[in-house]
Amino acid sequence: MGMTYIPSTLDEALHLRAEKKARPLAGGSDLMVQSKRGIGLAPEFPFDVMIITGLKELKGIRKLDDGSVEIGALSTPAEIADSDLVPWHVRQAASGMGAIALRNSATIGGNIGNASPKGDLPQPLILLDASVVLASIRGERQMLLDDFILGSKKTALGDDEIIKSIVIPDYDFTYLFYRKIGMRKANAISKLSLSVAAVVKDGEIIDFRAASGAAGPRVIRSRDAENLLKGHKTEEIPEIQESFLDSWNNAISPHAMPLYRRNTTRRMLSYFLSAIYSGKAEGIIEEED
Amino acid sequence: MLSEIVFHVNGKKIVYTGNPLTRLVDVLREDLGLTGVKEGCGEGECGACSVIKDGKLVTSCIIPVGAVNGSEIYTIEGIRDTEKGKCIIDAFAEGGAVQCGFCIPGMVMATYALLSSNPHPTEMEIRKGISGNICRCTGYDLIVESIKLASEKGGDLWA
C-alpha cells in the first residue's frame, strides 16, 4: 500500500510527483470508487497518492489574450457548465455528467486523466481542438488532447507530470449540435455521444467537424470524413452526404455494438446535415422530441 | 504539506490526524456519530450520503477526508433545527414523502441545496434537483410534492 500526501502548493505536488511518483487524486469520483473496499474501510492504492483537491493553482476558468479559454484542471463540471467563458459544446457535456453532487466534486483534469472512452468531457474538447497543459519540475508543455489520450485508460502523461489546465481555442460556429445517449438522464454512463459544429458562409461549408464519444477506445475525429464536406455548397449536401456518412461510419470501432453505434451516429449526423441543407436558423440544432 | 486536516462539521471544528484516504462518510458516521448520513451504494450514485460542502451538495462516500481541509460541512444533523431545515422536514411529513426513510436525509440535503439556489423551482427543476438521490419506496411523486410544499411554505426563507 502506498503513502498518501496532501501537498499545499503546486510546487510541492510537482516534487511529490517527480520524487515519489505520487498519483494525483482530486474529486475522487473515479479513484475512490475504483479502489473502494466497503463500509468503514479507506480505499487502498498500490502506489503513492497525493490529494490535490485544495491546490489553488489548478483552479479557475479564464479567458486568454488570444481569445482562447483556459480551464484549470480542478474545475468541476458544475463550474464549467455555469461559466459563460466556456464554449457551448463543453458546457453541454459538463451539465449532463452524473448528477448534481458528482458535478460538484468531479474535475475536468480527472475526467481527462482517467481517459475512459466513455468520459464525457474529452469528446467536445477534441471537437474544439483543445490542448492540455502538463506541468512538471522540468517546466510545462502543451499538447493536443487528441494526441494526449492514447487509448482506453492510456495517456501520454509523463510519470513526473500532472495535468495543469485545458486550453480551448476560440471558434465561432454557425451550427452546433450535442447529444449524449445514456440509459437515464442522471448518473448515466454514455452509451454514445456526438458533437457536431459547422461554419457556413454564403451557402458554403467553410468548416465542418464532428466528434464521437464512447464509440471506440478513443474519441473519434475523422478529418478525412470532415474534408469530404468542407468547401462544398450546402445545396450539394444531398449528393455528398452518403460518402461522408459512410466514411464516418468506418471510423467507428467495429468491436463494440457497431451496428447500433453506426446507425445512431448516422441518423444524428444526417439530421444535422439536413438542418443545414434546409437553411435552418443559425445556432443550436435542437433535437425534436 | 498537511499533516492534519482541519475542517468544520455543523459549525464545530474538527482536527483529523488519521488516514487522509478515509472516506468522509466514515469520519462523519463512525468518528463523529452523525448517523443521519446514510451509506447506500458507496459509489456516489445513490445520494443517501449527501452532505453540503462549502454550500454545495456532494456525496460523502467518494470524498477522502484529506480533500476537505478548510471546508465547512453540513449534515442533516446540522440543518434539522434551523428554520430552513424545519421547513423541509415539516413539508416532508405533511406531504407524506417518507416511507422507509433511508434516502430521506440525502433527499432533505438535496432539497436544501436546491431551494437555497432556486427558491421557486418548477416540477422539472425539482426532479433534476433530486436526480442524484435514489428512493426505492415512494416513486418520487410525494417527495416532489413535498418539495413544492417546502418552497411555497418557506416563502421568504428561501429568497
Side-chain angles (χ1 to χ4, degrees):
Chain A
M1 196 178 114
M3 294 285 290
T4 306
Y5 305 93
I6 312 176
S8 312
T9 64
L10 177 59
D11 192 53
E12 274 182 8
L14 294 179
H15 278 92
L16 283 169
R17 186 81 180 119
E19 288 149 25
K20 310 280 186 188
K21 308 297 173 211
R23 299 200 195 174
L25 189 161
S29 55
D30 283 318
L31 285 178
M32 292 293 284
V33 174
Q34 287 159 11
S35 296
K36 77 163 186 162
R37 295 195 301 142
I39 291 173
L41 297 171
E44 283 182 357
F45 297 95
F47 42 77
D48 287 356
V49 167
M50 53 179 172
I51 299 173
I52 60 165
T53 322
L55 296 183
K56 294 187 179 64
E57 297 93 327
L58 304 183
K59 292 182 182 175
I61 300 173
R62 61 207 146 262
K63 195 115 188 162
L64 303 180
D65 289 341
D66 64 356
S68 54
V69 175
E70 182 170 28
I71 303 176
L74 290 177
S75 301
T76 64
E79 288 162 353
I80 292 166
D82 284 346
S83 171
D84 294 337
L85 299 176
V86 176
W88 180 81
H89 288 96
V90 182
R91 292 180 69 180
Q92 284 297 112
S95 68
M97 289 173 73
I100 293 169
L102 180 123
R103 291 197 289 274
N104 285 332
S105 13
T107 66
I108 187 171
N111 198 236
I112 287 170
N114 192 42
S116 162
K118 293 161 186 287
D120 285 312
L121 293 176
Q123 184 259 83
L125 290 170
I126 285 171
L127 178 92
L128 301 174
D129 298 328
S131 53
V132 57
V133 177
L134 306 170
S136 70
I137 53 171
R138 296 175 287 126
E140 286 184 11
R141 64 179 177 134
Q142 191 167 339
M143 68 193 295
L144 278 175
L145 184 57
D146 204 6
D147 296 331
F148 177 72
I149 297 177
L150 302 173
S152 176
K153 304 267 175 181
K154 288 191 189 77
T155 70
L157 187 75
D159 67 2
D160 62 347
E161 287 180 316
I162 69 170
I163 299 172
K164 189 181 177 202
S165 65
I166 288 82
V167 177
I168 311 172
D170 185 26
Y171 289 110
D172 195 8
F173 295 114
T174 323
Y175 295 102
L176 310 90
F177 177 90
Y178 176 82
R179 178 82 197 263
K180 165 180 170 169
I181 299 170
M183 291 294 274
R184 60 195 286 265
K185 279 190 178 159
N187 275 337
I189 307 284
S190 283
K191 284 215 171 297
L192 185 67
S193 69
L194 180 72
S195 280
V196 198
V199 177
V200 176
K201 208 178 163 204
D202 301 327
E204 186 185 334
I205 302 170
I206 310 286
D207 187 9
F208 189 97
R209 51 177 81 192
S212 290
R218 299 169 73 243
V219 171
I220 293 165
R221 268 289 299 272
S222 170
R223 270 80 175 175
D224 291 343
E226 291 171 6
N227 286 336
L228 292 172
L229 295 174
K230 281 191 221 173
H232 284 275
K233 294 280 180 191
T234 54
E235 63 201 29
E236 296 172 78
I237 284 174
E239 299 146 50
I240 54 180
Q241 156 163 327
E242 283 309 305
S243 61
F244 164 75
L245 294 173
D246 286 344
S247 176
W248 198 272
N249 266 356
N250 290 336
I252 289 179
S253 167
H255 298 294
M257 289 172 69
L259 197 62
Y260 164 75
R261 289 193 165 85
R262 286 175 176 171
N263 280 343
T264 310
T265 303
R266 191 180 188 94
R267 283 171 56 192
M268 290 189 283
L269 284 169
S270 57
Y271 178 72
F272 181 85
L273 285 170
S274 67
I276 298 183
Y277 175 68
S278 64
K280 260 205 160 159
E282 294 183 1
I284 297 152
I285 305 295
E286 306 273 1
E287 7 163 346
E288 282 160 28
D289 286 324
Chain B
M1 197 91 63
L2 295 182
S3 55
E4 57 182 31
I5 301 144
V6 182
F7 58 110
H8 285 82
V9 176
N10 299 333
K12 192 177 146 209
K13 185 176 171 185
I14 308 293
V15 179
Y16 187 86
T17 54
N19 181 356
L21 288 175
T22 304
R23 304 174 314 156
L24 180 58
V25 64
D26 293 327
V27 174
L28 296 173
R29 284 182 57 87
E30 316 253 332
D31 297 339
L32 304 178
L34 300 170
T35 52
V37 184
K38 305 300 181 198
E39 177 167 357
C41 67
E43 300 186 348
E45 301 265 339
C46 79
C49 68
S50 296
V51 299
I52 289 176
K53 171 177 171 263
D54 301 324
K56 301 208 155 66
L57 190 73
V58 296
T59 45
S60 60
C61 70
I62 58 166
I63 297 180
V65 66
V68 303
N69 187 61
S71 287
E72 302 271 348
I73 312 279
Y74 282 91
T75 69
I76 185 79
E77 289 88 348
I79 68 153
R80 69 181 167 198
D81 294 323
T82 65
E83 289 298 309
K84 289 179 176 180
K86 277 191 262 183
C87 171
I88 299 170
I89 289 164
D90 289 349
F92 271 47
E94 190 179 332
V98 182
Q99 286 189 33
C100 91
F102 190 83
C103 73
I104 295 298
M107 287 287 182
V108 170
M109 298 314 280
T111 304
Y112 190 95
L114 171 69
L115 295 182
S116 297
S117 64
N118 181 2
H120 301 292
T122 62
E123 175 166 340
M124 191 47 75
E125 286 167 341
I126 293 174
R127 288 187 184 273
K128 276 191 180 166
I130 58 166
S131 62
N133 295 74
I134 293 174
C135 170
R136 296 289 79 161
C137 306
T138 63
Y140 302 101
D141 284 355
L142 290 178
I143 295 176
V144 172
E145 290 301 318
S146 300
I147 295 172
K148 270 186 218 163
L149 203 58
S151 161
E152 287 160 15
K153 290 205 162 182
D156 291 345
L157 205 55
W158 301 112

